Amino acid sequence: MEIQTQTLQTNKSDRRLMLFDLALGGHHGNYIRYLIDYWCEQNLSGSLDIVVLPQFLEVHADVAAITQSRHPKIKLIPITEAEVETLNSRKVVLSRVVRNFQEWDLYCRYASLLQATQSLIMYLDTCEIPLFVGKSSPCPFSGIYFRPTFHYRYFQGHQWSGKDKLQQIREQLTLSRILQRPKLKTLFCLDPFAIKHIEQFSSRAKVVYLPDPVAIDGNDNPRVESIQINLGIEPHRQVFLLFGALDGRKGVYQLLDAISLLPDELCQQLCLLLVGGTNSAEQTKIEAKVKAICQHKPVQIIQRYQFIPETDVTAYFHLADLVLAPYQKHAGMSGILLLAAAAGKPVLSSDYGLMGEMVRNYQLGHTIDSTIPDEISKGLTHYLLSSDSLGDRVKMQEFCQQHSVEHYTHLIFDNV
């Protein structure tokens, strides 16, 4: 898509807000959709330009559809395929660093071409190094900071390693520089426990806790029964759900190893749902492991390797008895905790970092060292044998209310 500068002339008194997000899947579509909805409901003045990858129009087709129909001054602007081809992979550290600079250059280019009067970088973590070395934004900007970890040493049971210490020093040095950038208006942070530590740095910008948003649709999702029938879940089994990107980061292999450790009488009670996208290599590896387990254990394992439409996502959580989140040393928040709490379902979660702290603080379920299959197996056993329900349903709802879509959108537009 070629952008002609001359077509973008605008009255300088009008606000031209640019959202910049070159990520896909997960929460990225919802974050943007909620902001579009708010803009339209409040009939905000000015214009809203949303710069995304071309694939965003397919992966988040629902967002693309509402953008075209809701408001004439809201535009989804994909970067060009040629620009996509120049971007490095994120799989290797050095390549990822180079990509961060490439994305920053794209951010600056589009902010200039769109004559943005202000911008919101939806994934500020990717801009840390460019900002640290002194790169300047063409306009005042704010950003959402996803994964601070330098304060994890204060969390219950955290094992403080030499690597963690180096990471702490790096993050603190980087943050102290970023917060001095003259055009940074607001640093939104998704970790409530990090705020008091970030505020200790001298800052020209506001530091605001931004709750990860979740839409609550009640307990009467009409799709639950039909999905349950279509999946062929055997009626006597407890449904354990692993949802999202099915890969090593999510702990799928440790989970499968844990199930292989369960005695047959517990396997007979269990239906494991593996639902979400993955690449072909991961899928082949997971399928082989599932096949081997099912040959020796009377467990039902249902696999759905596909993107789930937003209208069906909450239905999967409502039909689950236990939601699994055995992430492997995951930094930051996970929408899985929010979706589970909104459905009133307990989680079996990694005890590491922000996720572990959230589960403990809000009594969302049970935490385990998810890097050890035997510990996951003990967690599964505890749920299957316990007569007491895990988690506190009242606190789950309190957790959801604090992470409402309304709270998220108000905080964004009150502070950008």
Side-chain angles (χ1 to χ4, degrees):
M1 174 180 176
E2 293 296 330
I3 300 177
Q4 299 299 324
T5 304
Q6 61 267 27
T7 68
L8 297 172
Q9 297 301 321
T10 184
N11 187 324
K12 291 185 178 180
S13 65
D14 287 344
R15 170 171 60 172
R16 297 188 65 91
L17 175 61
M18 182 184 82
L19 307 185
F20 185 82
D21 193 355
L22 299 189
L24 297 170
H27 62 268
H28 293 278
N30 285 338
Y31 272 30
I32 290 172
R33 177 170 188 159
Y34 298 149
L35 295 178
I36 292 172
D37 288 343
Y38 183 89
W39 187 287
C40 295
E41 289 163 5
Q42 301 299 317
N43 195 25
L44 298 182
S45 60
S47 63
L48 178 64
D49 295 319
I50 307 163
V51 178
V52 295
L53 290 172
Q55 301 96 305
F56 185 97
L57 306 182
E58 299 176 8
V59 174
H60 301 288
D62 56 334
V63 180
I66 66 164
T67 304
Q68 293 174 354
S69 62
R70 293 287 298 277
H71 198 291
K73 290 193 174 182
I74 299 179
K75 294 183 177 63
L76 269 181
I77 300 173
I79 66 173
T80 67
E81 291 291 351
E83 287 167 337
V84 173
E85 291 175 5
T86 66
L87 294 174
N88 279 32
S89 167
R90 289 196 172 278
K91 293 183 179 179
V92 181
V93 173
L94 183 58
S95 178
R96 187 159 59 243
V97 171
V98 173
R99 180 178 175 125
N100 289 346
F101 280 96
Q102 292 170 333
E103 290 194 5
W104 180 261
D105 289 342
L106 284 170
Y107 158 76
C108 291
R109 176 173 184 264
Y110 278 84
S112 297
L113 287 174
L114 294 167
Q115 298 182 359
T117 60
Q118 58 192 118
S119 67
L120 175 62
I121 301 173
M122 303 296 290
Y123 193 11
L124 190 65
D125 303 53
T126 64
C127 304
E128 286 182 303
I129 297 178
L131 286 169
F132 174 76
V133 301
K135 292 287 187 178
S136 179
S137 170
C139 63
F141 71 101
S142 301
I144 302 177
Y145 186 25
F146 277 73
R147 296 188 174 95
T149 65
F150 67 93
H151 61 302
Y152 280 8
R153 65 193 177 105
Y154 300 108
F155 290 168
Q156 176 184 323
H158 183 77
Q159 300 297 315
W160 189 240
S161 67
K163 183 179 179 181
D164 289 333
K165 181 65 175 177
L166 289 174
Q167 176 69 8
Q168 177 199 22
I169 294 170
R170 185 195 70 78
E171 282 189 28
Q172 290 176 321
L173 181 60
T174 302
L175 268 175
S176 66
R177 291 284 296 273
I178 290 174
L179 289 168
Q180 290 300 314
R181 292 295 158 223
K183 291 184 179 178
L184 176 61
K185 183 177 180 183
T186 305
L187 178 77
F188 296 102
C189 180
L190 293 176
D191 186 334
F193 306 106
I195 298 298
K196 66 180 181 181
H197 301 287
I198 296 175
E199 288 177 337
Q200 293 175 2
F201 297 111
S202 174
S203 177
R204 304 170 64 107
K206 287 188 290 185
V207 178
V208 175
Y209 167 52
L210 181 69
D212 209 335
V214 61
I216 303 173
D217 66 353
N219 295 315
D220 55 352
N221 191 306
R223 290 281 293 145
V224 174
E225 186 176 356
S226 61
I227 289 175
Q228 187 167 14
I229 293 171
N230 290 336
L231 290 173
I233 297 172
E234 296 170 3
H236 65 281
R237 294 184 183 269
Q238 297 282 302
V239 178
F240 290 7
L241 173 67
L242 183 69
F243 188 93
L246 300 175
D247 54 26
R249 178 186 63 87
K250 203 88 170 186
V252 62
Y253 301 111
Q254 288 81 1
L255 172 63
L256 291 172
D257 286 341
I259 287 175
S260 70
L261 298 174
L262 292 174
D264 286 359
E265 59 268 24
L266 292 184
C267 286
Q268 289 172 344
Q269 301 176 37
L270 172 60
C271 171
L272 174 63
L273 288 186
L274 301 176
V275 181
T278 191
N279 60 53
S280 58
E282 292 274 18
Q283 181 175 335
T284 299
K285 188 175 177 182
I286 296 169
E287 286 176 335
K289 204 167 185 69
V290 167
K291 182 178 180 181
I293 292 171
C294 291
Q295 286 176 343
H296 299 96
K297 293 288 182 179
V299 62
Q300 183 180 26
I301 302 179
I302 298 172
Q303 305 163 78
R304 287 293 180 272
Y305 300 103
Q306 61 193 53
F307 177 79
I308 304 301
E310 191 61 33
T311 51
D312 285 351
V313 169
T314 56
Y316 279 92
F317 285 81
H318 282 297
L319 68 82
D321 295 294
L322 179 68
V323 175
L324 305 171
Y327 288 78
Q328 302 297 293
K329 300 295 184 183
H330 173 71
M333 184 57 173
S334 169
I336 297 299
L337 300 185
L338 291 160
L339 289 165
K345 302 305 171 72
V347 296
L348 181 65
S349 167
S350 164
D351 62 0
Y352 178 81
L354 178 59
M355 287 182 63
E357 198 73 358
M358 285 292 199
V359 173
R360 289 186 291 266
N361 270 266
Y362 288 94
Q363 298 181 37
L364 304 179
H366 185 60
T367 63
I368 39 88
D369 183 347
S370 58
T371 64
I372 303 174
D374 187 55
E375 293 300 310
I376 301 176
S377 182
K378 290 176 182 177
L380 299 174
T381 299
H382 176 71
Y383 180 84
L384 289 167
L385 295 180
S386 177
S387 58
D388 301 324
S389 60
L390 294 179
D392 184 317
R393 299 305 184 275
V394 173
K395 289 199 171 185
M396 288 180 189
Q397 291 309 303
E398 177 188 338
F399 180 65
C400 290
Q401 292 300 329
Q402 292 178 6
H403 291 76
S404 69
V405 171
E406 293 77 13
H407 195 190
Y408 161 82
T409 51
H410 280 134
L411 280 172
I412 290 283
F413 284 110
D414 284 349
N415 291 282
V416 294

